[in-house]
Structures are given as structure tokens and as C-alpha cells.
């Protein structure tokens, strides 16, 4: 479980570097699908990862407004701010937490019940999915996307 | 680990159904990024998942040719043919296999060493990444993509 988070963090860092070569216009350009722009995708990934972990811990989640984070350095700052808390939770993850329940309030007032294990896998898949979207937009711009390979990143447990 | 494979199989099945509404032309149309077309992406996912498991088990892998699988029913047939072997391996996965070594022959004749755990996570991330690409192409066609949510699929361990 943890290793897929570590993978996501490594890949995300590479996308930040990748973004450094793009103009602000390209980063913010509205594109088809996903959440709309390259930068907003990275912002969304950071926000969602942190928010889910806050939610299952019963902590307050605040809705970040993308309008306040419209540069790569601001998104990286937000990521750095959230990362300590996320990293601590992920690195202390234990399979005994797997079946803990999270009561997810739905918009109609009802609750659905997710396990913490489901939430963790949801967060993992969420980021990889959105990164896949970035890889298409990269090619549309004519740039090679960051590799999505898991192997070759030193993430084996030897 | 297994649950993310199960997630991928559920999502893949939904994409097969989603594809039923598309014309052959749309399925095979060359698109920007990824492996080029919607159908070839699904073919590639199926092929790569099976091939990695064959490889780490030291079994023969044969390179499928997409030209022989240019319909959704043919890709589904291939998937069904490979799935038994893949499913058996995944469902019998045990964390003791995690650090088993796979000697991966590189094109320059050298070997890199991956652990089986790395290979399994590589396969998981590979599929989610490519499915993210499909979600962009879906919107380009004007269709709603299959949900990438992990939660809500009954994949919690209660």
C-alpha cells in the first residue's frame, strides 16, 4: 500500500519539474476531459489526497480554491504544506487499519460506509488516473510525458 | 495488492461495455498519446498484464499482434483466455513472494533486477494510467467515461 503512495509522490515530483518548461498559459489552458487544465489536475490530486486522509481521521477538511493556486510554485507549496501529515499517516499505515469504517455523508443526507483500506486504494487510483490524463495532454502539446513506470524507481522491498 | 487488480478488472469490464456503443471507426481511430486508439489501449492492458505474470513465472510470453484483435469481441476473447491464469496468480499472491527476484533482460544485453512486488505494482499502475488516457478520449468523443472510483465497488474487506 505505502509503496504505491511513494510511487505517486515520485511521479508527481517529476510532473512538477516537467511543468517548469511550460508557459502559464499552457498550464492553465482549459483542456478536454479530467478537471480541465494541467495545473488544476495537480492541484486536485494534492487536495484530494489530503482531504481523504483528513476525513477518515475525523479532522476538518477545508475546500481549497484553485483561484488561489494558479502557479506551479503555489501548488508545490500547498503540496509541501499537506505532505507532512499525509506522509506520516501513510508511513504509519498498518493492515489493522484496513477494515476501520468511514461513514461518508452523501449529498442526499444518507451515509455510505467505506473501509479505510478502500479509501487508501481510492486515493492511490485517483492520482494514477489523473496522471494518465496529463500524459495525453502532454502529447497534445508535443511534449514527452513523465514515465508512468513503477519499476526502475527503487521501490522494491529487497 | 489483490484488491487493486480486482478494481482494474471491474473497471475494464465497464470499459468493454462502454465500447459497445462506439463504431469500429471510433474504436480504432488513431488518437494523440498513449498507444494510439481506444481498442489498442484495452488490448495493450490485457497483453501487458498477462505477459508480466508469464515473465516472472519464467513461462514463455508470445507477442500478440493487434492486427488480429481489431474488434471489441476479439479483445474480450483474448482477455478471457488470459484471465484464468492471471486471476489464479493474483488470488494466490502472498506477501512472501514480494521480494522474489525477476532478472529483466534489457535491450543492451544487461539485466535489471525487479522484485515480484515491483512487477505487480507496475502492472496495477500500468492499467490505471492507460484507463486515465481513455477517459480523455471519451470526452473528446463527447461521451461520459467510466467512473474511476475505487470506493463504491464493494472492494472493502469487512
Amino acid at each position: 500500500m505505502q509503496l504505491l503512495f511513494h510511487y505517486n509522490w515520485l511521479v508527481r515530483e517529476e510532473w512538477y519539474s516537467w511543468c517548469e518548461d511550460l508557459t502559464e498559459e499552457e498550464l492553465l489552458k482549459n483542456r478536454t476531459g479530467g478537471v480541465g487544465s494541467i495545473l488544476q489536475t495537480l492541484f486536485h490530486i494534492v487536495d484530494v489526497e489530503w482531504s481523504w486522509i483528513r476525513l477518515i481521521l475525523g479532522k476538518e477538511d477545508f475546500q481549497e480554491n484553485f483561484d488561489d493556486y494558479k502557479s506551479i510554485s503555489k501548488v508545490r507549496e500547498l503540496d509541501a504544506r499537506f505532505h507532512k501529515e499525509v506522509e506520516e499517516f501513510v508511513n504509519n499505515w498498518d493492515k489493522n487499519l484496513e477494515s476501520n469504517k468511514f461513514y461518508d455523508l452523501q449529498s442526499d443526507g444518507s451515509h455510505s460506509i467505506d473501509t479505510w483500506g478502500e479509501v487508501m486504494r481510492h486515493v492511490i487510483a485517483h492520482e494514477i488516473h489523473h496522471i494518465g490524463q496529463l500524459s495525453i495532454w502532454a502529447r497534445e502539446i508535443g511534449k514527452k510525458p513523465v514515465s508512468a513506470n513503477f519499476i526502475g524507481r527503487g521501490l522494491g522491498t529487497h
Side-chain angles (χ1 to χ4, degrees), chain A residues 93-154:
Chain A
W93 177 259
D94 182 281
K95 69 176 193 298
N96 295 321
L97 301 173
E98 183 72 47
S99 55
N100 279 7
K101 304 280 184 294
F102 170 64
Y103 295 86
D104 194 1
L105 182 61
Q106 307 294 297
S107 48
D108 66 358
S110 69
H111 285 85
S112 71
I113 302 174
D114 308 316
T115 66
W116 286 22
E118 274 177 294
V119 169
M120 293 293 268
R121 290 181 191 89
H122 182 76
V123 171
I124 289 167
H126 180 264
E127 176 153 356
I128 304 173
H129 183 79
H130 280 295
I131 292 291
Q133 298 177 331
L134 291 188
S135 76
I136 296 291
W137 293 340
R139 292 292 184 192
E140 283 173 6
I141 297 169
K143 284 176 67 76
K144 192 180 172 208
V146 170
S147 167
N149 283 348
F150 185 96
I151 53 172
R153 294 182 182 274

Side-chain angles (χ1 to χ4, degrees), chain A residues 22-154:
Chain A
L22 260 60
T23 62
E24 194 174 274
E25 197 189 342
E26 280 174 317
L27 285 173
L28 296 173
K29 187 187 166 193
N30 196 40
R31 299 176 195 277
T32 303
V35 297
S37 76
I38 293 171
L39 195 61
Q40 190 156 2
T41 300
L42 291 165
F43 168 82
H44 175 67
I45 286 169
V46 167
D47 187 30
V48 164
E49 182 186 61
W50 182 79
S51 296
W52 271 109
I53 288 171
R54 298 284 295 186
L55 279 170
I56 60 176
L57 290 172
K59 292 182 181 173
E60 197 188 355
D61 170 36
F62 57 94
Q63 197 57 51
E64 299 293 333
N65 188 338
F66 180 57
D67 286 341
D68 301 330
Y69 296 93
K70 287 190 164 175
S71 75
I72 192 75
S73 63
K74 283 186 183 159
V75 172
R76 289 183 89 144
E77 271 169 41
L78 183 73
D79 193 347
R81 183 145 65 84
F82 288 170
H83 191 66
K84 268 196 175 170
E85 202 174 336
V86 171
E87 191 178 29
E88 196 193 339
F89 184 76
V90 168
N91 288 346
N92 290 302
W93 177 259
D94 182 281
K95 69 176 193 298
N96 295 321
L97 301 173
E98 183 72 47
S99 55
N100 279 7
K101 304 280 184 294
F102 170 64
Y103 295 86
D104 194 1
L105 182 61
Q106 307 294 297
S107 48
D108 66 358
S110 69
H111 285 85
S112 71
I113 302 174
D114 308 316
T115 66
W116 286 22
E118 274 177 294
V119 169
M120 293 293 268
R121 290 181 191 89
H122 182 76
V123 171
I124 289 167
H126 180 264
E127 176 153 356
I128 304 173
H129 183 79
H130 280 295
I131 292 291
Q133 298 177 331
L134 291 188
S135 76
I136 296 291
W137 293 340
R139 292 292 184 192
E140 283 173 6
I141 297 169
K143 284 176 67 76
K144 192 180 172 208
V146 170
S147 167
N149 283 348
F150 185 96
I151 53 172
R153 294 182 182 274

Side-chain angles (χ1 to χ4, degrees), chain A residues 3-17:
Chain A
L3 288 164
L4 281 161
F5 275 93
H6 287 275
Y7 159 79
N8 274 339
W9 300 335
L10 290 171
V11 171
R12 198 191 303 167
E13 194 56 41
E14 286 190 40
W15 276 101
Y16 288 143
S17 300

